[in-house]
Amino acid sequence: MTWLATYPGHVSSSVLERPSSPATGPAPLRLGALTVDPAVVLAPMAGITNPAFRTLCREFGAGLYVCEMITTRALVERNEKTLQMVRATPDEADAFSVQLYGVDPATVGRAVEMLVDEGVAGTRPAHVDLNFGCPVPKVTRRGGGSALPWRRVLLRDIVRAAVRAAGDVPVTVKTRIGIDVDHVTYLDAGRIAQDEGAAAITLHGRTADQLYSGTADWAPIARLVEAVDIPVLGNGDIWEADDALRMVAETGCAGVVIGRGCLGRPWLFGDLAAAFAGGTRRALPTLREVAAVMHRHATLLSEEQGERHGCTDFRKHVAWYLKGFSVGSDVRRALAMVSALDELAELLAGIPDQPYPTAVLGGPRGRTSPPRPVALPEGWLADRDDPRPPAGAELPVSGG
């Protein structure tokens, strides 16, 4: 655990030294009274950005670490699983960040009130984000996520309700370019967010029908920067710290939001902090060092969920951590069935150490899928100014 314990302020025993460059990141991001320095945000990911993963990422770098997507209906109804998901860790006391999903302005407003005024999370959030970017069919077919900005009056009413309920807590918005190339929404969404008092907006450089396929288009991020006065954060295809520097340089965005790029690589946040400060070193952990991070991750999950459930939850991370390493299929299968920390430690100890596989740098991580038409409620595209949420649109559970 030496490398993990000493990484903040130090460098891994294996590093990639980038050529000297004057490129640095943007200034610290200010969201109301909250300062995010460096201007790096962990994107909410279902089943991933739980307290354990947020803690692990925070141990490597600084930024804002957002919890899994919380459904407003489930929160208002005090669903027990949702109440567990919305709790902060001790080290998040001053910067607890919550992302909410909802399609009904009244329900969204009530959920924000509960977080801000009642302290249902145990910690008053420092930041609330509204999800208008999720492309998952079970969300869009109810008019939520990346489908919702098409209904611009409904979008306005939701943002207005959240901002009013939040008081001095900054509210931000996350969205995509649009439903598809024929139904582009990001410029309207940006103007509405600004007019209704949102502190910032994040734009993922894909349409909903692209899901996570192809290459993110950063040009709309630059256009949105020109169109609004509030900070714009860029999201999409940031696999390395230098991708973040390039996005900032090309778009003028005020910060970056990191999703799939940190899967199996929580040290990316250390690289981002170094890059944004003008540093040129990037971590290249050996397999032994990666194994230490894997065990730490599983330990945090076990502390949170109990050892058996924590190790079971960790299984999905194994392939991401070992991407590119030479590890036998039998060992990979055993790791993907691990149910105890000692078992995990023994399996990891039996793998010969090896340098980081640089061939995987800059490549996509996590889920990919081919483009497909977006599932929408019947008649959803007919009237952009219809303020009514679809019947039965609110999801009863959280997590995406």
Side-chain angles (χ1 to χ4, degrees):
M1 295 296 291
T2 303
W3 176 63
L4 177 64
T6 61
Y7 185 81
H10 296 74
V11 181
S12 164
S13 59
S14 305
V15 298
L16 177 65
E17 188 75 46
R18 294 291 189 188
S20 295
S21 169
T24 58
L29 176 66
R30 288 184 169 80
L31 304 174
L34 178 64
T35 298
V36 183
D37 185 15
V40 174
V41 179
L42 170 66
M45 290 179 281
I48 304 293
T49 55
N50 49 34
F53 189 70
R54 300 197 307 269
T55 296
L56 185 65
C57 291
R58 188 174 288 103
E59 289 175 348
F60 284 97
L64 188 64
Y65 298 93
V66 188
C67 74
E68 295 178 73
M69 186 178 78
I70 301 299
T71 300
T72 53
R73 174 185 163 189
L75 182 60
V76 167
E77 293 180 354
R78 301 181 187 272
N79 173 273
E80 186 58 37
K81 177 184 175 183
T82 296
L83 293 177
Q84 288 296 316
M85 290 173 63
V86 80
R87 61 189 171 85
T89 64
D91 58 350
E92 291 177 312
D94 297 327
F96 182 48
S97 180
V98 178
Q99 187 185 72
L100 296 178
Y101 159 83
V103 296
D104 176 66
T107 305
V108 171
R110 177 59 185 140
V112 174
E113 284 178 357
M114 289 174 63
L115 289 169
V116 172
D117 298 336
E118 297 180 22
V120 293
T123 299
R124 190 172 189 259
H127 164 244
V128 173
D129 187 52
L130 300 177
N131 183 300
F132 302 119
C134 181
V136 175
K138 76 172 183 178
V139 170
T140 60
R141 71 166 50 99
R142 294 168 179 258
S146 52
L148 200 143
W150 182 256
R151 293 286 181 92
R152 53 196 171 197
V153 176
L154 180 58
L155 175 71
R156 180 204 66 191
D157 291 347
I158 291 173
V159 177
R160 180 179 294 175
V163 170
R164 288 180 176 177
D168 61 348
V169 173
V171 174
T172 60
V173 167
K174 185 166 190 265
T175 190
R176 286 192 170 220
I177 295 171
I179 294 174
D180 52 38
V181 294
D182 296 319
H183 301 90
V184 171
T185 57
Y186 74 97
L187 289 173
D188 280 344
R191 295 186 189 104
I192 290 168
Q194 175 175 282
D195 291 347
E196 297 304 324
I201 182 169
T202 296
L203 180 60
H204 182 122
R206 287 181 172 86
T207 51
D209 67 332
Q210 288 181 281
L211 296 174
Y212 297 95
S213 65
T215 302
D217 182 2
W218 294 353
I221 299 172
R223 287 194 285 273
L224 186 57
V225 169
E226 292 295 320
V228 299
D229 296 324
I230 59 174
V232 175
L233 307 182
N235 178 223
D237 292 3
I238 299 178
W239 311 116
E240 308 294 337
D242 295 280
D243 294 330
L245 291 177
R246 184 166 56 88
M247 176 183 277
V248 170
E250 291 181 6
T251 70
C253 63
V256 297
V257 176
I258 305 299
R260 294 174 296 153
C262 68
L263 296 177
R265 298 179 67 223
W267 54 87
L268 177 60
F269 291 97
D271 284 354
L272 286 160
F276 276 27
T280 58
R281 289 190 169 191
R282 309 290 183 261
L284 287 179
T286 65
L287 181 55
R288 190 177 307 282
E289 292 168 330
V290 172
V293 180
M294 293 173 70
H295 196 272
R296 170 66 173 158
H297 191 169
T299 299
L300 289 167
L301 285 168
S302 296
E303 291 172 354
E304 177 187 327
Q305 305 176 20
E307 186 170 356
R308 184 172 184 83
H309 284 113
C311 288
T312 299
D313 193 11
F314 176 73
R315 294 172 184 173
K316 62 175 169 277
H317 296 272
V318 169
W320 295 326
Y321 276 112
L322 298 181
K323 183 178 177 69
F325 282 108
S326 179
V327 179
S329 58
D330 54 339
V331 177
R332 288 178 182 267
R333 280 195 298 270
L335 285 167
M337 297 176 65
V338 71
S339 57
L341 291 172
D342 287 347
E343 178 188 3
L344 175 63
E346 183 177 353
L347 286 167
L348 292 172
I351 307 173
D353 198 19
Q354 53 192 277
Y356 195 84
T358 56
V360 305
L361 294 176
R365 307 181 72 84
R367 57 186 172 181
T368 57
S369 52
R372 63 183 174 191
V374 180
L376 297 169
E378 184 176 356
W380 186 249
L381 301 177
D383 183 0
R384 294 203 65 187
D385 296 321
D386 187 341
R388 299 170 299 173
E394 290 285 334
L395 291 171
V397 294
S398 295

